[in-house]
Amino acid sequence: MSVQSKKVKSDIEIAQEAVMKPIKEIAEGLNLREDEWEPFGHYKAKISLDVMKRLQNAPDGKVILVTSINPTPAGEGKSTVTVGLGQALNKIGHKTIVALREPSLGPTMGIKGGASGGGYSQVMPMEDINLHFTGDFHAITTANNALAAFLDNHIHQGNECQIDTRRITWKRVVDLNDRALRQVVVGLGGPLQGVPREDGFNITVASEIMAILCLAKDLTDLKEKLSNIVVGYSFNKQPVTVRDLGVQGALTLLLKEAVKPNLVQTLENTPAIVHGGPFANIAHGCNSIIATKLASKLGDYVITEAGFGADLGAEKFLNIKSRLGNIDPKAVVIVATIRALKMHGGVDKANLTVENLDALKTGMQNLQKHIETVQSFGLPFVVAINRFITDTDKEVEYIEKWCEEKDYDVALSDVWEKGGEGGIDLAVKLLRVLEKQEGNFKPLYELNDSIEAKIETIAKKVYGAVAVDFIPKVRKQIEEYKSLGWDKLPVCMAKTQYSLSDDPAKLGRPEGFTITVRELRPSIGAGFLVALTGDVMTMPGLPKKPAALNMDVDADGKAIGLF
Amino acid sequence: MSVQSKKVKSDIEIAQEAVMKPIKEIAEGLNLREDEWEPFGHYKAKISLDVMKRLQNAPDGKVILVTSINPTPAGEGKSTVTVGLGQALNKIGHKTIVALREPSLGPTMGIKGGASGGGYSQVMPMEDINLHFTGDFHAITTANNALAAFLDNHIHQGNECQIDTRRITWKRVVDLNDRALRQVVVGLGGPLQGVPREDGFNITVASEIMAILCLAKDLTDLKEKLSNIVVGYSFNKQPVTVRDLGVQGALTLLLKEAVKPNLVQTLENTPAIVHGGPFANIAHGCNSIIATKLASKLGDYVITEAGFGADLGAEKFLNIKSRLGNIDPKAVVIVATIRALKMHGGVDKANLTVENLDALKTGMQNLQKHIETVQSFGLPFVVAINRFITDTDKEVEYIEKWCEEKDYDVALSDVWEKGGEGGIDLAVKLLRVLEKQEGNFKPLYELNDSIEAKIETIAKKVYGAVAVDFIPKVRKQIEEYKSLGWDKLPVCMAKTQYSLSDDPAKLGRPEGFTITVRELRPSIGAGFLVALTGDVMTMPGLPKKPAALNMDVDADGKAIGLF
C-alpha cells in the first residue's frame, strides 16, 4: 500500500479493514482460564475479578504512564501513542498490554466522532468501543439516575432524612452533550409529581459513580465507596449519604458487571484493557485501578494514559490513582507534537504548517515544565514527538538537539501511519530509560497535609504558580470539611486543561501567576475533594454541525461516520 | 425436592440453582450458523438479521398468542404461562420457541423486582434479563435522548426549522420510575445554556423509539421509521421530523445492535427470544416483529405474549403488530386465575382465599368478553386457568363446567410449581384446538376506515362500549391528521388496563358505557395514532419502600433481591 493511498484512509476505514483475532485467542494469550472471562460478541470480553485473587501474589508488570503537554487544538495524539507504543513493545518481544479509558458517547456524537486511538494505532472493534461497548457507561448512567430517583422519592414520601432540597448536590446524568439539561427545574406539576427543586444534568463521565468505579479495588470496596457518596445536606446542614438512603446494595447490583474490565485488542492484536473514563477536571481522568492492576498482573509492561496534560491527568494518576491503588509506575512518556509546541509558542492554528523555530523554542517551555513535574515525582521519562507530515527537518533537529543538550531521552513516533513499527524507536528508548534509572515514585504531598497545603503543593510544584488564593467561601468550606473529617483526602484539581495556569489563554510556560480556588466539592464516595479554579464544564454542548449529522449505518449494519 | 421446600423458594433462588446450557448449544439447536449469532456472556446471544434473509422462504412455525383477562392486583401470570407452555410443548416433542418482551428496569427497581416469568417457568439468566441484559433499552434511551439533544441544539444554534418550542412533542426518557422528571423546565441559565422550555421525561418503554424498534422489519425499515418521527411543530404548525433534523443515520447507528433479537433459554432449556418491550397503553405492548418472525422461522411453534389484557395487548398484537408484520397467528391462549376472576366478581384482595362461587360466576363475564373478542378476530383459543394453592375444588369444577357448557377448551396450568410438566395439559389442548380449527385471522378494521370508525370498531367490538365520545379537541385533531395524510394509520388505544371500559373501577364486564377519546397523539415513526381515553401514566413513580431497598450483591457478585 503506497503512502499516498494510506493518507486518504480514515480511522474507521482502517479499522474496518483490520483482521481481528477472536477474543478467545487474546484471552488465552494472557493465560486467562476459560471461566475467568465472558465474551461480548466475538471481539470483546469482560474479565472476572476472580483473576485478581488468583494472581494476587504474582509479580507486577511495569506500569508506564503516557501523558502530554497541555493540549491544543492542534492535537497531540496521546491515545494513539499509547496504543502504538504497546504494539511496538510487543513487536520487539515484550508482553505488553495497553490500558485505556472508554470513550464517552457525548463527544463522539458531538465533535470527536470517536476516541480509540488513530490511524494504524487503534483499539478495536472501534465502532463498538465508540458506541455502547459493553454497556459500562450505560450502567453508570443508570445507577447515577436511579440514585437521583431514590433521592427525590425519599423526599416525596415524607423526607425521613430531612433533606434540604436547596442543598442537594447529586445531579442526574446523560452520556450525551446536552446543554439544555445543564440547569433545569424538576418536580413540577403539583403534589403528585414530586417536590419542585432546581437541578441539573452532568455528562456521565462527570458522575461521581464513574470516579468510584475507577477507584474501587473490588466489589466490596465499590459498595463501600457508593455508600459514602454525599447526595446533599439536611436542614441542619449535616451530610446525607447513600447509606442513609439505604440504596447502596441496589446501586452495586446495577454496577456488578460494569466493574469488570473489558478486554479487546489493537489493530496489531496487542491486548488492550479498556475500562472506565472519568473526566480529568472534576474527576481524576484515568482508566480504572482494577484494569491497570489486572493488566500489570497479566503483562510484563502496561502502557496506560491519563486525561489532558501532565498538570492534570498525570498529577492525578500519580497523586490519586497510584496512591489509592498501590500502583508503582516505573516511567512516563510525555507526548508532544511540533504543531502543538508551536501553538504554545504563539502560532495560530492556521499558520502551523509554516516552519517557525522561534515559536518552537518558546513553546518548548511548556514541555520543559511537564518534564520537571514528572521528575518531581521521582520518575524517569521519555519525550515522544508524535510526527506530522508538516513537521520540517529543522524543527525536528531543533527538538532533538534541545533534548540532547539537557540529556533528555527523546524519540520520534510515527505510530499513526506505521502502527507498532513506527513506535519501535520510542519503545527501545523507554526500555533503555527503565534500565538505566530505577523508578522511585513518590506522591507529591502527604494525605495528612492540610487541604491548603495539598493545593499549594500542586499549584506551585506542578503548575508553577507563585501562590494560591483561597476565596473566603473556600476558607469557610475548608473549616467545615475539617470538622467533618474530610480533610485527609487527596485533592482533585479542576483547572483548565489548556494552560498550566487557571487562565486558558496563557499558553507556553506562564510565570508569576496565582491560582484562585473558587469552590470545593466533596466527592466522599470517590475519596477526594475537588478544588475548582474556575468554571468547569460538566455538561458539554453540541456544535452547530454535530458529528452525528455525518453518521449512518448501511443496510448491512456497517457503521459510517465514526473517526 | 418436597413440595413444601419448593414453596419457600423465591424466583431468584430457583433461577440461581438452574443449570443453563451454554448459549452455543441453544443456538446450534436452532440450526443457527456460527456467523449468525454473537455471544453476550455464556448464556445470552444476539442473532444476526442475516438469518431472516437466509430463511425468507422457509415455512413459518405456528404463532400462538398468550393473553389474559383484565389484570388485577391478584395477578394472572401471563409470562409464566407463556414460558411454561413453551417448555411443555418441547417436553412433548414439538420444537417450540418462546418470544417475550424485555423487562424495564423502572418497575424492577420500583415494585416488581423482576419480570421474566416465575417459579419453574422463567427465562434465564434472570438477573441479567432483569438488569441491563444486552443493553437494548440503554441504546433506545440513548437514541431517544440524543434526538432530544439534537433538537434543543438545533433550536439553540439558530432554529433553521423554525421549531415552536411550545409545540415540541418529543420527550426525554430514563428507564427508571422517576416522578420528579414528569414535568420539568430545561434550558435555564441564560443564553449559553440553550432555550428555556417546558419538557418532561417518559420511561424508556414509552419512547416512540421503543415502538419503532419493535415494529421495524429490518435495518432499512428502522431508519425509515426513525426518519418519520414527528418531534414537534413549526411556528406555522407544520410537523417537524427527524428527517428535517438530518439525524436519522446517527439514531440508526445507535440502534444497530439493539435491533438484533436476543437469544436466551428457559429453566428447562427451551429457546427464548426476548426482545423489545413497549408499553401496552401509549404503544402496542408486544415484543419485536423481528423476534416473532425469526422465532417462527426457527421453531415449529412460537409462544408469545402481549401486555395487559386481551382488550389492550391482544387487540394491538392483532390489529397493529400482526398486520404491519404480516404475522398470521394461529391461536390464542387466554390466561385467567380464579383469584383474579373473583376480584372481577367484586371480592377484595384480602378475601380472595375464601371460596366464593357467586363472585366467580360474576367474574367469569370478564373472561367471556375476551373470548368473544378473540373469536371476532377469527382465532381459536384455549382458556388457561393458572392454578393457585388457594383455589378450591368447587371453584375449579365451576370453571370446567362453565367451559364445557359453552364448548370452550380449557386447561389447568401448574407451570409455576412444575415447569413444563405443569403445562402439558394446556399444550395438548392447544394442539387439539389447532388441529380441529383452522385459524382464520383477520384484523378487526381496515386501514382505510376513518379514524373515528377504527376507534369505534375497537370500542364496540373489543371493549363492549355502546358509543364513543370524541371531545371537540379530538374532532379538530382528526381534521388536522386527515389533512396531513395521517388518517390511514392503525390506532393504538391508550386505556386503563384494569377495566374493559375507560373507568378503572368498573371490573367484570361493564355494559352500556361510553368510551371518551380525550386526545390523539401521532406516532408517525412507529406508524400508528395513539388515542387517549384518560390520563395515561408514561412515567411511573416509586413506592414508599422501593424494591431496590432489598437489593444487593454479595462479595462474589451474586445478585440478591430480584424476584
Side-chain angles (χ1 to χ4, degrees):
Chain A
M1 192 184 302
S2 77
V3 170
Q4 206 173 6
S5 76
K6 267 191 202 169
K7 288 279 175 266
V8 296
K9 277 196 190 159
S10 68
D11 288 354
I12 194 172
E13 285 168 331
I14 293 169
Q16 286 174 343
E17 284 171 8
V19 180
M20 284 183 281
K21 285 187 185 171
I23 201 66
K24 185 179 163 67
E25 279 183 42
I26 304 291
E28 285 169 355
L30 295 175
N31 299 316
L32 289 175
R33 295 179 187 170
E34 213 180 318
D35 61 349
E36 287 177 338
W37 62 277
E38 281 191 305
F40 273 71
H42 299 301
Y43 304 105
K44 310 183 289 288
K46 276 215 169 265
I47 304 176
S48 163
L49 300 186
D50 292 341
V51 183
M52 287 308 287
K53 292 178 198 157
R54 173 167 68 82
L55 296 178
Q56 58 188 331
N57 297 319
D60 285 325
K62 291 186 165 70
V63 174
I64 312 301
L65 173 67
V66 178
T67 185
S68 77
I69 60 171
N70 288 94
T72 70
E76 294 70 40
K78 197 172 49 193
S79 299
T80 306
V81 170
T82 305
V83 173
L85 175 57
Q87 293 182 149
L89 281 162
N90 271 303
K91 234 183 174 61
I92 59 175
H94 296 279
K95 189 172 179 180
T96 304
I97 299 172
V98 298
L100 295 170
R101 287 170 295 162
E102 301 179 51
S104 164
L105 257 173
T108 297
M109 303 308 273
I111 298 177
K112 283 179 143 184
S116 47
Y120 288 85
S121 294
Q122 296 185 55
V123 279
M124 303 284 299
M126 81 87 95
E127 293 101 316
D128 299 25
I129 294 172
N130 280 311
L131 293 169
H132 310 289
F133 201 22
T134 58
D136 296 343
F137 282 20
H138 292 321
I140 290 166
T141 303
T142 305
N144 184 105
N145 293 347
L147 174 51
F150 297 140
L151 173 64
D152 273 312
N153 187 57
H154 179 94
I155 295 164
H156 175 77
Q157 302 282 2
N159 201 1
E160 202 180 315
C161 289
Q162 291 287 298
I163 300 164
D164 183 347
T165 54
R166 302 164 306 175
R167 290 195 168 84
I168 291 173
T169 49
W170 192 253
K171 292 192 170 190
R172 290 174 169 87
V173 297
V174 289
D175 192 24
L176 292 166
N177 291 8
D178 192 348
R179 71 169 66 70
L181 293 178
R182 283 176 193 154
Q183 287 188 38
V184 304
V185 172
V186 301
L188 298 173
L192 296 181
Q193 327 288 359
V195 177
R197 66 180 182 86
E198 288 187 54
D199 196 8
F201 285 67
N202 291 331
I203 189 166
T204 298
V205 293
S207 169
E208 185 176 348
I209 292 182
M210 175 68 84
I212 286 174
L213 186 110
C214 290
L215 290 172
K217 290 175 198 75
D218 52 36
L219 206 54
T220 309
D221 188 37
L222 177 71
K223 197 193 295 179
E224 175 65 20
K225 286 182 159 60
L226 291 167
S227 307
N228 293 338
I229 292 173
V230 172
V231 295
Y233 299 85
S234 64
F235 292 112
N236 58 6
K237 298 194 182 164
Q238 291 306 298
V240 178
T241 66
V242 165
R243 191 178 279 112
D244 295 326
L245 298 174
V247 294
Q248 63 274 18
L251 300 187
T252 311
L253 183 61
L254 286 169
L255 296 168
K256 78 184 176 69
E257 301 303 314
V259 76
K260 298 176 186 170
N262 306 296
L263 179 64
V264 289
Q265 63 192 292
T266 74
L267 276 173
E268 296 179 5
N269 314 119
T270 289
I273 298 181
V274 178
H275 193 225
F279 255 11
N281 44 41
I282 66 146
H284 63 290
C286 309
N287 71 331
S288 77
I289 282 179
I290 289 175
T292 303
K293 287 187 83 96
L294 179 68
S296 80
K297 292 295 184 187
L298 297 175
D300 296 331
Y301 294 89
V302 179
I303 314 298
T304 189
E305 37 98 72
F308 299 145
D311 53 331
L312 285 169
E315 184 270 309
K316 294 170 186 187
F317 180 92
L318 298 168
N319 279 326
I320 299 177
K321 176 179 173 181
S322 297
R323 184 197 318 251
L324 299 181
N326 290 313
I327 293 166
D328 185 23
K330 297 300 182 192
V332 176
V333 172
I334 308 173
V335 178
T337 58
I338 287 171
R339 291 154 54 85
L341 288 166
K342 288 197 290 189
M343 285 197 85
H344 277 293
V347 176
D348 284 346
K349 200 180 171 188
N351 298 317
L352 287 176
T353 51
V354 181
E355 184 175 273
N356 190 332
L357 292 172
D358 286 344
L360 183 58
K361 185 177 170 183
T362 311
M364 292 304 280
Q365 295 313 306
N366 186 269
L367 174 60
Q368 175 67 33
K369 178 67 194 98
H370 293 301
I371 288 172
E372 290 167 20
T373 296
V374 169
Q375 287 175 323
S376 71
F377 281 96
L379 287 169
F381 65 91
V382 185
V383 173
I385 302 297
N386 197 18
R387 289 217 62 170
F388 270 72
I389 193 132
T390 54
D391 300 346
T392 70
D393 289 345
K394 278 193 188 161
E395 287 171 336
V396 172
E397 271 165 35
Y398 178 83
I399 291 188
E400 286 178 333
K401 198 164 158 234
W402 185 88
C403 288
E404 195 183 325
E405 279 171 9
K406 292 170 186 282
D407 203 20
Y408 295 159
D409 291 280
V410 63
L412 294 178
S413 151
D414 217 353
V415 295
W416 195 99
E417 194 182 326
K418 295 182 183 156
E421 189 67 37
I424 288 179
D425 181 37
L426 174 59
V428 168
K429 283 186 175 142
L430 172 67
L431 292 172
R432 201 187 302 156
V433 159
L434 285 168
E435 211 165 289
K436 80 178 174 193
Q437 191 185 341
E438 183 78 6
N440 186 20
F441 165 63
K442 198 169 168 298
L444 277 192
Y445 56 80
E446 297 297 325
L447 294 181
N448 273 328
D449 294 349
S450 69
I451 295 173
E452 295 94 324
K454 287 175 217 177
I455 294 172
E456 278 168 359
T457 300
I458 295 167
K460 291 177 182 173
K461 291 200 184 167
V462 177
Y463 308 159
V466 292
V468 178
D469 182 18
F470 300 92
I471 68 167
K473 171 188 168 188
V474 173
R475 295 269 176 208
K476 205 178 144 207
Q477 284 188 301
I478 290 173
E479 287 315 304
E480 282 169 18
Y481 289 9
K482 265 192 215 168
S483 71
L484 289 162
W486 293 348
D487 55 327
K488 303 306 178 205
L489 297 172
V491 172
C492 179
M493 299 297 291
K495 181 182 71 65
T496 175
Q497 67 266 37
Y498 298 113
S499 170
L500 282 159
S501 76
D502 57 9
D503 175 356
K506 287 185 180 155
L507 302 191
R509 183 176 186 165
E511 287 186 341
F513 63 89
T514 297
I515 290 283
T516 305
V517 179
R518 294 167 198 280
E519 190 187 344
L520 297 181
R521 287 189 197 160
S523 286
I524 307 304
F528 53 67
L529 303 178
V530 182
L532 288 92
T533 64
D535 288 339
V536 172
M537 178 65 70
T538 53
M539 172 53 91
L542 287 166
K544 193 170 171 84
K545 300 275 177 204
L549 291 174
N550 301 316
M551 291 180 187
D552 206 345
V553 46
D554 69 17
D556 295 325
K558 209 168 115 175
I560 298 167
L562 296 171
F563 53 87
Chain B
M1 193 183 304
S2 76
V3 171
Q4 206 175 6
S5 75
K6 267 191 201 167
K7 289 281 175 261
V8 295
K9 277 195 189 157
S10 67
D11 288 353
I12 194 172
E13 285 167 330
I14 294 169
Q16 286 174 344
E17 284 171 8
V19 180
M20 284 183 283
K21 285 187 185 171
I23 201 66
K24 184 179 165 66
E25 280 183 40
I26 304 290
E28 284 169 356
L30 296 175
N31 299 317
L32 290 175
R33 296 180 187 168
E34 213 179 318
D35 61 349
E36 289 177 337
W37 63 278
E38 281 191 305
F40 272 71
H42 298 301
Y43 304 105
K44 309 183 290 288
K46 277 215 168 266
I47 304 175
S48 163
L49 300 186
D50 293 340
V51 183
M52 288 307 287
K53 291 178 198 157
R54 172 166 69 82
L55 296 177
Q56 58 187 333
N57 297 319
D60 285 324
K62 292 187 164 68
V63 174
I64 313 300
L65 173 67
V66 179
T67 184
S68 76
I69 59 172
N70 288 94
T72 71
E76 294 69 40
K78 196 172 49 192
S79 299
T80 306
V81 170
T82 305
V83 174
L85 175 57
Q87 292 182 150
L89 281 163
N90 271 302
K91 236 182 174 57
I92 58 175
H94 296 279
K95 190 171 177 180
T96 304
I97 299 172
V98 299
L100 295 170
R101 287 169 296 161
E102 301 179 51
S104 164
L105 257 173
T108 297
M109 304 307 276
I111 299 177
K112 284 179 144 182
S116 48
Y120 288 86
S121 294
Q122 296 185 55
V123 280
M124 304 280 300
M126 82 87 97
E127 294 101 316
D128 298 25
I129 293 172
N130 280 311
L131 293 169
H132 310 289
F133 200 23
T134 58
D136 296 343
F137 283 19
H138 291 321
I140 291 166
T141 303
T142 305
N144 184 105
N145 293 347
L147 174 52
F150 297 140
L151 173 64
D152 273 313
N153 186 58
H154 179 93
I155 296 164
H156 175 78
Q157 302 282 2
N159 200 4
E160 203 180 316
C161 290
Q162 291 287 298
I163 300 164
D164 183 347
T165 53
R166 303 164 305 175
R167 289 195 169 84
I168 290 173
T169 49
W170 192 252
K171 291 191 170 189
R172 290 173 169 88
V173 298
V174 289
D175 192 23
L176 292 165
N177 290 8
D178 193 349
R179 73 170 65 71
L181 293 178
R182 283 176 192 155
Q183 288 188 35
V184 303
V185 172
V186 301
L188 298 173
L192 296 181
Q193 327 288 357
V195 178
R197 65 180 183 88
E198 287 186 55
D199 196 8
F201 284 67
N202 291 332
I203 188 166
T204 298
V205 292
S207 169
E208 186 176 346
I209 292 182
M210 175 67 84
I212 287 174
L213 186 110
C214 290
L215 291 173
K217 290 174 199 74
D218 53 35
L219 206 54
T220 308
D221 188 38
L222 176 71
K223 198 193 295 180
E224 175 64 21
K225 285 182 159 62
L226 291 167
S227 306
N228 293 338
I229 293 173
V230 172
V231 295
Y233 298 85
S234 63
F235 291 112
N236 58 5
K237 297 194 183 164
Q238 291 306 298
V240 178
T241 66
V242 165
R243 192 178 277 111
D244 295 326
L245 298 174
V247 294
Q248 63 272 20
L251 300 186
T252 311
L253 182 62
L254 286 168
L255 296 168
K256 77 184 176 71
E257 301 303 314
V259 77
K260 298 176 186 170
N262 306 298
L263 178 65
V264 289
Q265 63 192 292
T266 74
L267 276 172
E268 296 178 7
N269 314 121
T270 289
I273 298 182
V274 178
H275 192 224
F279 255 10
N281 44 41
I282 65 146
H284 63 291
C286 308
N287 72 331
S288 76
I289 283 179
I290 288 176
T292 303
K293 287 187 83 95
L294 179 68
S296 80
K297 292 295 183 187
L298 298 176
D300 295 331
Y301 293 90
V302 179
I303 314 297
T304 188
E305 37 99 71
F308 299 145
D311 52 331
L312 285 169
E315 184 268 310
K316 294 171 185 185
F317 180 91
L318 298 168
N319 279 326
I320 299 177
K321 177 180 173 181
S322 296
R323 184 196 319 250
L324 298 183
N326 290 313
I327 294 167
D328 185 23
K330 297 299 182 193
V332 176
V333 173
I334 308 173
V335 178
T337 59
I338 287 172
R339 292 155 52 86
L341 289 166
K342 287 197 290 191
M343 286 197 85
H344 276 294
V347 177
D348 285 345
K349 199 180 173 188
N351 298 318
L352 288 176
T353 52
V354 182
E355 184 175 273
N356 191 332
L357 292 172
D358 286 344
L360 183 58
K361 185 178 170 182
T362 311
M364 291 305 280
Q365 295 313 306
N366 186 268
L367 174 60
Q368 175 66 34
K369 178 69 194 97
H370 293 301
I371 288 172
E372 291 167 19
T373 297
V374 169
Q375 288 175 322
S376 71
F377 281 97
L379 287 169
F381 65 91
V382 185
V383 173
I385 301 296
N386 197 19
R387 289 219 59 171
F388 270 72
I389 192 130
T390 54
D391 301 345
T392 70
D393 289 345
K394 280 193 187 161
E395 288 170 335
V396 172
E397 271 164 35
Y398 178 84
I399 291 187
E400 286 178 333
K401 197 164 158 233
W402 185 89
C403 288
E404 196 184 324
E405 279 171 8
K406 293 170 186 281
D407 202 21
Y408 295 158
D409 291 279
V410 64
L412 294 177
S413 151
D414 216 354
V415 296
W416 195 98
E417 194 181 326
K418 295 183 182 154
E421 189 66 37
I424 287 179
D425 181 37
L426 175 58
V428 168
K429 284 186 174 141
L430 172 68
L431 292 172
R432 201 187 302 158
V433 159
L434 285 169
E435 212 164 287
K436 79 178 174 195
Q437 191 185 340
E438 184 78 6
N440 187 19
F441 165 64
K442 196 169 169 299
L444 277 192
Y445 57 80
E446 297 298 324
L447 294 182
N448 273 328
D449 294 348
S450 69
I451 295 172
E452 295 94 324
K454 287 175 215 175
I455 294 172
E456 278 169 0
T457 300
I458 296 167
K460 291 178 182 173
K461 292 201 184 167
V462 177
Y463 307 159
V466 292
V468 178
D469 183 19
F470 299 92
I471 69 167
K473 172 187 169 188
V474 173
R475 295 269 176 209
K476 205 176 145 208
Q477 284 188 302
I478 290 173
E479 288 314 305
E480 282 170 19
Y481 290 10
K482 266 192 215 167
S483 71
L484 289 163
W486 293 347
D487 55 327
K488 302 307 177 206
L489 297 172
V491 171
C492 180
M493 298 297 292
K495 181 182 72 65
T496 174
Q497 66 266 38
Y498 298 113
S499 171
L500 282 158
S501 75
D502 57 9
D503 174 357
K506 289 186 180 155
L507 301 191
R509 183 177 185 165
E511 288 187 340
F513 62 89
T514 297
I515 291 283
T516 306
V517 179
R518 294 167 197 280
E519 189 187 345
L520 298 181
R521 287 189 197 160
S523 287
I524 307 303
F528 53 67
L529 302 178
V530 182
L532 287 92
T533 64
D535 287 340
V536 172
M537 178 66 69
T538 52
M539 171 52 92
L542 287 167
K544 194 169 170 84
K545 301 276 178 202
L549 291 173
N550 301 317
M551 292 180 187
D552 207 345
V553 47
D554 69 15
D556 295 326
K558 209 168 117 175
I560 297 167
L562 296 172
F563 53 86

